[in-house]
Amino acid sequence: MPFQARYAEFTSPRPADAGTSSRHLAPDCAGLDFLALDRGLQDLLALYLPGAEHRHLLPHFQRMGQLAGGRLNTLASVADKHGPVLHARTRWGEDHDWIEYHPAYQEMEHIAFGDFQFHAMSHRAGVLGWDAPLSPVAKYAFQYLFVQSEFGQMCPISVTDTSVHLIRKFGSPALQQQLLPRMLAADPAALWKGTQFMTEKAGGSDVGAIETVAREEGGHWRLYGEKWFCSHADADVVLLLARPEGAPAGTRGLGLFALPRRLEDGSRNAYRIVRLKDKLGTRSMASGEVRLEGALAYPVGALDQGLKQMMEQVNLSRLSHAVRAAAMMRRCLNEALQAARHRSAFGREVIGHPLLRRQLLKLMVPAEAALSMSMATADAMRRAGEGDATAHQAVRLLTPLIKLRACRDNIAVATGAMEVRGGNGYIEDFVNARLVRDAHIGVLWEGTSNINALDAIRRAVGKERAHRALQTLLVARLEQAEMPAPLRQALWQAWQRAAALAEAVAAADAHEADTRRAASALYYASAAILMAWEGGQPGTDARRLLLAHALLRHRLQPADPLAAPGAAGAAGESACGDLLLGSAPVTPAQASAAIALAV
């Protein structure tokens, strides 16, 4: 393809024999194996995946890690610079709104939907040669590697996956027969991709204000209205909320509908993509505005249960967003480490300067916390699917917590990694600028930070008492973990205080302003316990014990911001930092000694 040669010099790794001027610039991660770089992911895959599934999928994870650092990295860079173009009419003046994508984007689609079949991983056997649907841990691990190069494509992947889930769970047998074979097709040419359109001018976070109307005309439901922010605007099947005529106001009056882009006779359905959004980030993927002009749609489930049914998609999407945030944080960390290890300033490698080492740890701790929370939530989702009621309740709280905190942390990590790269991090030739742009959408999609915090504290904790189920999961992890006794005690105390704070905030309307603080406390306390458990498992790098200690110390324990640094504490922090930033695996004895010195 012509674009391959044109962009090769901008996306390829820096050659080993680079000229003198180029050698002054630190390399980036282009051409590297993103699975090989990530000891944490390797350990957690072995820990959370059943042995047979792990062994079968490992070559595919390795292939995705190499693709992410290689071909996908090139394609993503090109697609970001050549976004989709809407063609509203044919040359004959007929309405025929189709979206033109760059060949780089189309090739990524074939990798995602054809080669790896992301859309079908959770729904049918046969993907990547496995004889059953893949576990949530496996699916989200593939997403985690993929997103380290390409974020925009993950929206079509995720919304197709979640659309299948909703149709399979709530759709009538006839609707399932009509849509699911197409939406689960292995051939990209035959595949019908899905999406969800939620936002309207009148209703973003306030879903009950939705104005789209559903009318029953001649035995069919037809939709009228506008959807304001429609990601994956040209999907083949859209799930959306509309208010049937005569239904009550508010969320109770909303029904869930499936809207095909094309009718069974091949003609266009009666809706138009009015324009595409000019977005800050996720530029490779088409987001637009859609006008519904009597479009044929099919009810999905009971028409007075639309929002409740759609919330299942929201919870799945929230976990997917958290995985994407974790992935981007990992790419940011990798880029920062590359820059710090291969650039000299003031007579030594940048990574040798104490202040820069501290900055790198500020990137590492939230990145690794998000990975642990993602894998643990995916594992709980698997057990919930197998009928574990405690796991089901824990997932109810974990999804808004991880969506809130991982997506917010991603913005700070992306900015910090750009700073480590320096001026080049602000230039679009390098990936950092795109990572900064893409990071911000995470705090908007599937609920803002405030909405997720309110859902976690007011509803999941206050009404459903879901923190008790999460506590049961965490207590079991603490009991199973090999760790120093003082760390175990401190982690348990941190969780108790976080849970008490969440209960107090949930109990009184006057405390709404503290909702995000309470949700963040639950997230960090959970992540610290999970990382400590992971780091104490046989065969796992014990650096996760150090990460748990760092999270505990800097996010959960009180500290005097004006206190002078103590010699013992500084020595302990330095010892922990040396182990975390080193390349050698950390033993439990090394981790325990460093933690003891830091206390």
Side-chain angles (χ1 to χ4, degrees), residues 296-310:
L296 177 71
Y298 304 98
V300 181
L303 285 181
D304 62 351
Q305 298 292 309
L307 180 60
K308 181 178 180 180
Q309 294 166 172
M310 184 65 96

Side-chain angles (χ1 to χ4, degrees), residues 221-301:
W221 285 97
R222 296 192 175 274
L223 305 185
Y224 298 85
E226 290 190 11
K227 295 294 181 179
W228 179 243
F229 202 102
C230 304
S231 292
H232 191 24
D234 58 342
D236 302 287
V237 180
V238 180
L239 293 184
L240 72 173
L241 296 174
R243 194 179 311 280
E245 281 191 317
T251 58
R252 290 180 301 172
L254 296 174
L256 179 61
F257 292 87
L259 178 81
R261 180 150 175 77
R262 294 197 170 274
L263 305 179
E264 289 301 308
D265 63 3
S267 62
R268 295 173 66 253
N269 205 346
Y271 72 91
R272 296 180 55 222
I273 302 171
V274 179
R275 67 167 178 166
L276 297 186
K277 301 284 194 179
D278 186 7
K279 296 174 294 180
L280 172 68
T282 64
R283 292 177 178 173
S284 66
M285 182 269 299
S287 298
E289 300 165 18
V290 167
R291 180 175 297 144
L292 305 165
E293 301 169 329
L296 177 71
Y298 304 98
V300 181

Side-chain angles (χ1 to χ4, degrees), residues 581-595:
L581 293 172
S583 57
V586 176
T587 67
Q590 289 174 313
S592 297
I595 290 170

Side-chain angles (χ1 to χ4, degrees), residues 275-491:
R275 67 167 178 166
L276 297 186
K277 301 284 194 179
D278 186 7
K279 296 174 294 180
L280 172 68
T282 64
R283 292 177 178 173
S284 66
M285 182 269 299
S287 298
E289 300 165 18
V290 167
R291 180 175 297 144
L292 305 165
E293 301 169 329
L296 177 71
Y298 304 98
V300 181
L303 285 181
D304 62 351
Q305 298 292 309
L307 180 60
K308 181 178 180 180
Q309 294 166 172
M310 184 65 96
M311 282 304 297
E312 292 220 7
Q313 175 272 329
V314 169
N315 282 325
L316 289 170
S317 291
R318 283 174 174 172
L319 177 54
S320 180
H321 269 291
V323 172
R324 292 176 233 177
M328 286 194 285
M329 282 192 273
R330 182 68 210 189
R331 178 65 186 270
C332 289
L333 175 61
N334 286 344
E335 293 292 337
L337 289 170
Q338 275 287 89
R341 287 169 174 160
H342 294 90
R343 188 178 176 206
S344 295
F346 307 106
R348 58 175 164 171
E349 286 184 344
V350 172
I351 199 170
H353 294 277
L355 195 56
L356 192 279
R357 293 172 73 81
R358 184 177 181 86
Q359 184 170 349
L360 290 172
L361 293 173
K362 287 183 177 180
L363 309 183
M364 179 182 293
V365 171
E368 294 286 7
L371 174 60
S372 290
M373 286 289 279
S374 296
M375 293 295 100
T377 303
D379 183 60
M381 188 174 286
R382 172 190 61 81
R383 286 183 282 124
E386 295 171 353
D388 186 328
T390 300
H392 178 80
Q393 277 294 92
V395 169
R396 170 66 186 91
L397 176 56
L398 282 166
T399 49
L401 288 181
I402 191 172
K403 165 62 170 63
L404 160 71
R405 198 62 260 169
C407 291
R408 291 196 66 79
D409 288 346
N410 187 23
I411 294 173
V413 168
T415 303
M418 177 183 66
E419 189 176 18
V420 174
R421 173 70 61 181
N424 282 333
Y426 199 69
I427 305 303
E428 293 284 352
D429 290 343
F430 291 82
V431 73
N432 293 92
R434 174 157 51 94
L435 290 168
V436 170
R437 290 189 277 105
D438 285 351
H440 286 76
I441 192 61
V443 298
L444 301 175
W445 275 342
E446 306 304 350
T448 62
S449 300
N450 290 347
I451 293 297
N452 277 275
L454 288 167
D455 185 41
I457 301 302
R458 289 300 178 87
R459 288 184 281 276
V461 171
K463 294 182 179 180
E464 302 174 42
R465 317 305 286 171
H467 62 300
R468 295 178 179 174
L470 179 55
Q471 179 170 299
T472 299
L473 183 154
L474 296 174
V475 167
R477 293 304 191 222
L478 274 176
E479 291 175 347
Q480 298 163 0
E482 293 292 332
M483 70 178 77
L487 177 60
R488 187 193 312 272
Q489 182 179 6
L491 289 169

